Amino acid sequence: MGSKLTGWSVIIVRWLIFIRLIDVLYASAFAPPRPQSLRHRNRLPTSTRLQPLSDSSDCSADENVININKLKQDLNDLSELRPPNPTGLWAQRNPDCSLPLAIVSAGSSYTRIWTHQTWSEHSYPPHIRYVRHLKRWHASTTARKVLPSVAFACAWSILLSSFAKIFYWSENPILPLKVAKKAAEWSAPTFSFLSAPLALLLTLRANASMARLLEARGAWGRLVLGTRTLSSVLKTYLYPVHPNGAVLSVRYLALLGWLLKAQLRGEDEDSQQQVTRLMLGEQQYNEEYDWLMGQPKRTVALTSRIRNICAVALASSIASSANHTDNPLDHTATQLLIEERIRELESCVGICERLFGSTIPPTYSRHLSRVLSLWILLLPVSLISSGVSTVAGVACATTVAAYVFIGLDEVGMEIENVFQIMPMQQLAAAAQKDAGDQFVSEMPTLTNY
């Protein structure tokens, strides 16, 4: 009996293997091929993937000067295409297309980088500052946003107080109104205690939004510092051994801020193609341009490409020195230094992606909106039962309270979406300018003093 079971088991296993083999052969023979774009989209350009970059020994001093001058010209053209502070005709032709103008204040604003003049205007004595803020109240972007809600609260309070003036304050109200009057009088003390928890909810919401804003601003500050430092490292350590690789890396580095801004602001494809084509649009960089524009996450691909270029350039330098001398160069320290700077840039990009992809839990926002709506709708009832016997008094008190609390809620909402209020045009321009200045500037020759 046991031998029969063993024989059947062997037969079953052989049939399963045969069926699996037929399935694999069928899949390999009749499966549809992957599209060409998908198969080659993530491949690095062949100029550095299959063969090393042209070695520094193959480039004359004149060619290096031409490359540096061309880099200077392209950086200047990019600064004209994306000016840090679009004003006048520039603001009409090349504005910050992704900046929501509805939140930009006429006076001091977080949407721009501050200068000495901005700080001096912001730091006026209290009596001057308060007068200036009151004079510009009509131009407040927050006031314009909350005006419809505040107007509805005012109209609601006028309606309720007018109804109370006719029926509630009469000498002989009907029975249902008597019951409503007693209920309002009993609930008035309880309702007054809700103001403190509501203010606490709004404060916690504003603090959470402010923490997100400070983290995003710190990440962009480190991004600007990182591009500046990496560009200086490339000029000091990589350019002497491989000029072509250093120049190409700086071209990519100048694009990082603009591509990250486009990603976080949701800019269209044409906006990204303009800046990318300006830095990688030459014939020698056509493959680089096509590869970068085909990447799903261009900021991540950009830092990876810089890492790849530096690795290939240093490896080429080591191989070249090994062929000409018995003591080849050791670039381990340079590789670690470059890797550390690239990792800092990737950390900043990751922080921005996390802040953009996550928010304060919507359950908290929904609950806060419902509680705030109930509080504003019931506020006139509490005022009437507390003894405010005029329509104007109830309307004014409700309007002021609604403006304060709804304004706080709206400020928290504006700050929560941190990238729409940050000066990203100026930050991206600063990253580009610092990267270019650190690389193209020539330092004095060190001599014996």
Side-chain angles (χ1 to χ4, degrees):
M1 185 67 180
S3 60
K4 291 183 178 180
L5 292 176
T6 304
W8 279 107
S9 300
V10 172
I11 293 174
I12 292 174
V13 170
R14 289 178 178 177
W15 271 105
L16 290 176
I17 295 175
F18 178 75
I19 293 173
R20 179 58 181 166
L21 181 61
I22 295 299
D23 184 50
V24 171
L25 293 175
Y26 178 84
S28 60
F30 299 100
R34 293 183 62 190
Q36 185 76 8
S37 58
L38 293 179
R39 285 192 288 137
H40 296 282
R41 185 178 64 180
N42 293 325
R43 291 187 179 181
L44 294 174
T46 56
S47 58
T48 57
R49 184 174 59 86
L50 297 180
Q51 58 186 8
L53 291 164
S54 57
D55 190 37
S56 58
S57 59
D58 298 333
C59 299
S60 64
D62 294 337
E63 291 177 348
N64 293 336
V65 172
I66 293 175
N67 290 334
I68 291 292
N69 291 334
K70 188 64 176 68
L71 177 62
K72 289 181 181 180
Q73 183 61 42
D74 291 341
L75 290 172
N76 292 334
D77 294 342
L78 183 56
S79 298
E80 293 181 359
L81 181 66
R82 293 288 186 269
N85 299 299
T87 57
L89 295 178
W90 276 119
Q92 299 176 9
R93 290 182 294 175
N94 299 304
D96 185 359
C97 57
S98 58
L99 178 64
L101 299 179
I103 64 172
V104 179
S105 301
S108 56
S109 174
Y110 199 83
T111 57
R112 61 181 69 94
I113 295 179
W114 284 33
T115 61
H116 293 289
Q117 180 180 0
T118 313
W119 276 109
S120 62
E121 294 176 355
H122 182 71
S123 304
Y124 283 137
H127 62 284
I128 299 178
R129 188 168 66 250
Y130 296 160
V131 170
R132 292 177 69 247
H133 292 171
L134 290 174
K135 289 173 60 178
R136 294 180 178 178
W137 200 346
H138 66 281
S140 171
T141 55
T142 303
R144 293 177 182 177
K145 281 190 172 183
V146 305
L147 181 60
S149 300
V150 174
F152 174 80
C154 179
W156 172 251
S157 64
I158 292 175
L159 178 63
L160 284 186
S161 56
S162 300
F163 179 81
K165 184 176 182 180
I166 299 174
F167 300 101
Y168 184 82
W169 290 317
S170 62
E171 296 181 358
N172 298 314
I174 59 178
L175 182 60
L177 292 179
K178 288 182 179 180
V179 176
K181 182 176 181 180
K182 287 297 182 182
E185 292 175 354
W186 293 340
S187 62
T190 304
F191 181 80
S192 62
F193 289 116
L194 294 178
S195 301
L198 180 60
L200 179 61
L201 288 173
L202 291 171
T203 303
L204 293 176
R205 161 73 176 279
N207 289 341
S209 299
M210 184 62 67
R212 289 170 52 84
L213 178 61
L214 295 179
E215 186 177 9
R217 185 61 181 86
W220 267 88
R222 292 192 298 273
L223 181 76
V224 175
L225 177 61
T227 55
R228 179 194 313 161
T229 306
L230 180 56
S231 178
S232 179
V233 169
L234 294 174
K235 179 61 180 293
T236 304
Y237 297 104
L238 187 64
Y239 184 76
V241 299
H242 210 298
N244 288 340
V247 171
L248 180 57
S249 298
V250 172
R251 286 181 175 274
Y252 272 108
L253 199 59
L255 291 173
L256 179 58
W258 297 112
L259 294 182
L260 182 59
K261 170 180 176 287
Q263 175 184 341
L264 299 175
R265 288 272 185 85
E267 296 181 4
D268 56 15
E269 192 72 9
D270 292 339
S271 176
Q272 301 181 52
Q273 288 179 355
Q274 286 180 350
V275 295
T276 307
R277 187 180 294 111
L278 192 56
M279 297 305 297
L280 301 175
E282 295 186 16
Q283 184 176 2
Q284 58 180 333
Y285 300 130
N286 284 341
E287 192 177 3
E288 304 282 344
Y289 172 83
D290 295 336
W291 174 81
L292 182 60
M293 297 308 296
Q295 300 304 304
K297 280 191 175 182
R298 289 164 187 164
T299 52
V300 177
L302 189 149
T303 54
S304 299
R305 181 59 173 154
I306 295 177
R307 177 183 288 112
N308 173 259
I309 293 172
C310 294
V312 172
L314 293 176
S316 175
S317 175
I318 294 174
S320 177
S321 63
N323 294 331
H324 296 83
T325 180
D326 295 335
N327 297 319
L329 297 175
D330 185 6
H331 293 296
T332 304
T334 303
Q335 291 175 339
L336 293 177
L337 181 61
I338 294 175
E339 178 62 30
E340 181 182 357
R341 298 297 178 264
I342 295 176
R343 188 166 60 248
E344 291 177 358
L345 296 179
E346 291 177 334
S347 175
C348 296
V349 173
I351 290 174
C352 293
E353 290 180 343
R354 174 176 57 82
L355 291 174
F356 179 77
S358 60
T359 181
I360 298 174
T363 302
Y364 187 96
S365 301
R366 288 192 293 265
H367 181 71
L368 179 59
S369 300
R370 290 160 185 164
V371 172
L372 182 57
S373 300
L374 289 175
W375 188 84
I376 292 175
L377 291 176
L378 296 177
L379 179 59
V381 178
S382 177
L383 293 174
I384 293 171
S385 61
S386 300
V388 182
S389 58
T390 60
V391 175
V394 174
C396 290
T398 303
T399 302
V400 172
Y403 177 78
V404 172
F405 284 96
I406 296 176
L408 287 174
D409 182 57
E410 180 59 30
V411 168
M413 285 292 296
E414 288 184 3
I415 298 176
E416 183 179 2
N417 189 2
V418 294
F419 299 111
Q420 71 173 351
I421 66 173
M422 285 178 54
M424 300 183 69
Q425 178 93 356
Q426 293 175 292
L427 291 172
Q432 169 216 323
K433 186 177 185 301
D434 287 354
D437 291 345
Q438 290 292 324
F439 192 83
V440 301
S441 62
E442 294 293 339
M443 294 186 181
T445 303
L446 185 62
T447 58
N448 295 325
Y449 292 102

